[in-house]
Amino acid sequence: MLHIGRQNRLTIVKHTDFGIFLDGGKFGNILLPKRYVTADMKIGGILDVFIYLDSDDCIIATTLTPKAMVGECAFLEVKEVNNVGAFLDWGLPKDLLVPFGEQHKPMEAGRSYVVCIYQDEYTGRITASSRLSRHLEERADGLRAKQAVDLIICGRSDMGYKAVINHTHLGLIFRDEAFRTLLYGEKVKGYIKSIRPDRKIDLSLQAQARDSKEDLAEKILADLQRQGGTSFVTDKSEPELIYKIFNVSKGNYKNALSLLYKQRKILIEKDKITLVEQGQ
């Protein structure tokens, strides 16, 4: 079945002077323009192509891969604003429209915004929206506590940071869970910290301490071994440095160091930690 706004695997059925035609099933033959055609594309061959609508709203194929597809969210730059709306650079010759009614706040050329890409049910056109709550779920249906997720930072408030979860949901990272400044549009790994009684989603940038301490301890030991048994990242180091290296908070790092010290696997000094040799 053909999916507009997504990658499709289609069969070559005809060559012409202006391109090749692909079997689009009930949508008929679909043109791959000549500029994308290569010598190895033979009738009966299979191609992976992206399917979208051209400027005349005709279904067309390309071997280019856009920066995001239907059903995904992305941080995209506005190339132009006119009387129709804002047009985003998404990596294809035809720019991606954000109608005025789908703009959370008026967009400006040269600035980038987190948008959700969808196919308009009335026109069939691929469109984008920065009104994320219209298109993404804010209740935790299909998600579970402690689940690892991919996040895109899409807003900021006094409470913390709003984030897109796996391109499908919206959740909140409370400020004390961030450990560092998060940038609008930034992609980060995270976890479902908890699901509230109203099914809203709280997020964290790290797994729960009781679940991750032993894993973190193993990472610290591996890092020590790579560095010849000595590390200058201690329990006194800056939180930003600890997060950059181990992707955890300073508190979790200190807990893991404490575990290793109690197990007599490391020595903790003022300015360094040292791996204890086996048998010592």
Side-chain angles (χ1 to χ4, degrees):
M1 182 176 180
L2 193 76
H3 298 282
I4 296 175
R6 303 291 302 177
Q7 288 280 2
N8 293 258
R9 180 162 290 184
L10 303 179
T11 303
I12 300 171
V13 294
K14 183 180 180 181
H15 278 268
T16 70
D17 292 338
F18 47 87
I20 61 176
F21 281 102
L22 307 171
D23 182 5
K26 69 177 183 179
F27 292 92
N29 291 342
I30 296 172
L31 176 67
L32 176 69
K34 185 176 181 179
R35 61 181 175 274
Y36 304 120
V37 176
T38 58
D40 60 339
M41 295 179 181
K42 308 296 184 183
I43 292 177
I46 305 296
L47 288 183
D48 289 318
V49 291
F50 180 77
I51 301 297
Y52 68 115
L53 303 182
D54 65 12
S55 299
D56 297 319
D57 289 338
C58 295
I59 299 175
I60 196 167
T62 177
T63 53
L64 299 176
T65 301
K67 297 176 182 179
M69 304 186 193
V70 167
E72 296 178 348
C73 297
F75 186 52
L76 301 177
E77 182 180 351
V78 176
K79 291 179 65 176
E80 177 190 4
V81 178
N82 60 24
N83 60 353
V84 177
F87 289 85
L88 308 178
D89 176 10
W90 67 322
L92 295 182
K94 180 186 177 183
D95 297 328
L96 183 63
L97 172 65
V98 185
F100 289 115
E102 291 291 341
Q103 296 178 25
H104 176 65
K105 59 181 180 180
M107 291 182 166
E108 301 174 22
R111 297 193 63 177
S112 297
Y113 302 85
V114 176
V115 296
C116 174
I117 301 173
Y118 66 100
Q119 185 177 13
D120 188 279
E121 62 179 318
Y122 299 109
T123 66
R125 296 171 184 168
I126 301 171
T127 312
S129 174
S130 60
R131 292 184 177 272
L132 301 179
S133 59
R134 281 186 179 179
H135 303 276
L136 303 178
E137 181 61 61
E138 295 188 90
R139 294 169 59 85
D141 299 329
L143 299 176
R144 65 183 187 280
K146 302 181 184 178
Q147 178 181 346
V149 290
D150 294 316
L151 305 175
I152 304 174
I153 305 305
C154 63
R156 186 173 178 176
S157 70
D158 292 338
M159 296 178 67
Y161 300 88
K162 200 168 188 177
V164 175
I165 307 166
N166 290 348
H167 300 282
T168 58
H169 291 70
L170 290 170
L172 180 68
I173 306 170
F174 283 99
R175 190 167 300 279
D176 59 0
E177 292 285 342
F179 318 129
R180 65 178 179 86
T181 301
L182 297 173
L183 303 178
Y184 178 65
E186 182 179 357
K187 294 181 178 181
V188 293
K189 297 291 185 180
Y191 297 87
I192 306 296
K193 180 183 179 183
S194 62
I195 297 172
R196 303 180 216 165
D198 61 2
R199 304 295 293 166
K200 295 295 181 67
I201 307 161
D202 292 337
L203 300 166
S204 175
L205 295 185
Q206 61 183 359
Q208 296 297 319
R210 62 179 178 273
D211 299 321
S212 63
K213 185 163 62 176
E214 291 184 0
D215 289 341
L216 176 57
E218 291 299 320
K219 290 181 182 178
I220 294 170
L221 289 177
D223 183 67
L224 280 165
Q225 290 166 354
R226 284 194 298 269
Q227 300 193 59
T230 301
S231 171
F232 297 97
V233 183
T234 71
D235 57 352
K236 302 295 191 296
S237 296
E238 291 297 320
E240 292 79 9
L241 176 62
I242 293 169
Y243 185 84
K244 181 179 180 180
I245 297 173
F246 295 103
N247 200 35
V248 298
S249 68
K250 184 171 181 175
N252 276 9
Y253 184 70
K254 290 173 70 173
N255 289 337
L257 290 183
S258 177
L259 174 65
L260 291 172
Y261 180 77
K262 291 176 182 177
Q263 293 174 343
R264 299 185 178 181
K265 294 182 178 180
I266 63 169
L267 295 176
I268 301 177
E269 302 178 49
K270 182 178 180 180
D271 60 348
K272 64 182 179 181
I273 59 175
T274 307
L275 191 62
V276 173
E277 296 181 8
Q278 290 185 347
Q280 181 172 330

